[in-house]
Amino acid sequence: MITSQEKTFERKSELIEAALDEFNRKTFSEASLNTIIKQAGISKGTFYYHFENKEALYLFLLNHAFNAKWEFIQEKTGQNPEILEQKDFFEKIKSQARLSLEFALAYPKYYQLGRMFSSEKDQEIYKTAQGMLGKSSESLINELISAAINNGSIREDIPIDFIQKVLGHFLLHFNEIFNFPEDGELEKMIANLNQFVDFLKHGLSR
């Protein structure tokens, strides 16, 4: 957990950059806290005053990246209000997912952190982080689903909790499904995204 002492401090940005570099190269277990502290140019005392341990730093970094992504999406959405006005739920999902791709291009270190995090799915740290981040992501998706049902763009004959569980699972685990090296290329990412959402909308029926 992030300690109550975590707050702005000198060289905090250097610590974030050093942590991104280390966690983007290595798995959580392999990443060296000593290397991060050294690269950030801070003392161990300063680090431990603000963070309990390596796990607390990692969770902070994931949360920091998550918040940065949604702030980026909200800003872009504000600049393009037609995204919010789209009635079709699946087209809205495509639009917001494309903004996520724009974020990945603008902030490649955050994107790489997400890909590295996806590779941790068999580790305990993944479950811990999902418990922290999953609730925020699920609430955002559930809001979209509720709005879609209310405006008639999603079937009303299926229980909303079933829709939330199924769509939420697929949308939250998109990066785990498309996690091969070639999937990191922009054109492939867009193609995967469009096919993925079309599949959710239409299924496999002819």
Side-chain angles (χ1 to χ4, degrees), residues 1-201:
M1 296 290 295
I2 301 171
T3 71
S4 59
Q5 298 290 341
E6 198 286 308
K7 55 187 177 181
T8 301
F9 60 95
E10 188 177 359
R11 302 193 71 81
K12 181 177 180 179
S13 60
E14 286 85 349
L15 175 60
I16 291 174
E17 285 299 311
L20 279 171
D21 289 341
E22 184 71 1
F23 288 124
N24 284 353
R25 288 195 303 263
K26 302 175 182 177
T27 64
F28 172 76
S29 61
E30 293 172 342
S32 168
L33 182 57
N34 287 334
T35 297
I36 294 172
I37 292 173
K38 181 178 179 180
Q39 291 299 318
I42 63 175
S43 67
K44 288 186 177 181
T46 297
F47 175 83
Y48 284 112
Y49 178 76
H50 295 282
F51 295 96
E52 184 179 348
N53 50 31
K54 183 174 73 170
E55 178 179 305
L57 174 62
Y58 186 65
L59 294 177
F60 166 80
L61 201 63
L62 289 172
N63 191 56
H64 184 77
F66 176 87
N67 289 333
K69 175 181 176 180
W70 283 108
E71 287 174 7
F72 178 91
I73 289 176
Q74 289 172 349
E75 180 181 351
K76 291 288 185 178
T77 301
Q79 295 171 359
N80 301 277
E82 65 275 9
I83 294 175
L84 293 175
E85 296 169 2
Q86 289 177 317
K87 184 177 180 180
D88 186 272
F89 168 78
F90 295 97
E91 288 305 314
K92 186 176 289 187
I93 289 292
K94 282 184 181 180
S95 295
Q96 295 210 355
R98 287 192 188 98
L99 292 179
S100 295
L101 297 183
E102 288 185 27
F103 175 80
L105 292 175
Y107 299 92
K109 287 188 178 182
Y110 286 149
Y111 173 66
Q112 177 60 18
L113 179 68
R115 289 181 67 84
M116 289 295 290
F117 173 63
S118 294
S119 70
E120 301 273 7
K121 60 184 177 180
D122 294 327
Q123 305 302 315
E124 189 63 32
I125 189 64
Y126 184 85
K127 298 177 184 177
T128 301
Q130 280 290 78
M132 176 188 72
L133 298 175
K135 293 180 181 178
S136 298
S137 299
E138 286 174 8
S139 64
L140 289 168
I141 292 172
N142 288 344
E143 286 178 13
L144 288 175
I145 292 172
S146 296
I149 290 175
N150 289 335
N151 66 30
S153 59
I154 287 183
R155 290 169 54 180
E156 298 178 357
D157 59 318
I158 301 177
I160 186 171
D161 61 333
F162 177 87
I163 296 174
Q164 288 173 339
K165 287 177 182 177
V166 173
L167 285 182
H169 177 82
F170 278 118
L171 293 172
L172 288 173
H173 295 273
F174 175 84
N175 286 337
E176 295 176 28
I177 299 171
F178 301 101
N179 198 29
F180 297 97
E182 64 271 19
D183 293 324
E185 299 173 6
L186 179 59
E187 290 186 4
K188 185 65 172 177
M189 290 167 67
I190 294 174
N192 284 339
L193 165 66
N194 289 331
Q195 292 172 355
F196 182 71
V197 176
D198 286 341
F199 169 76
L200 292 178
K201 183 176 183 178

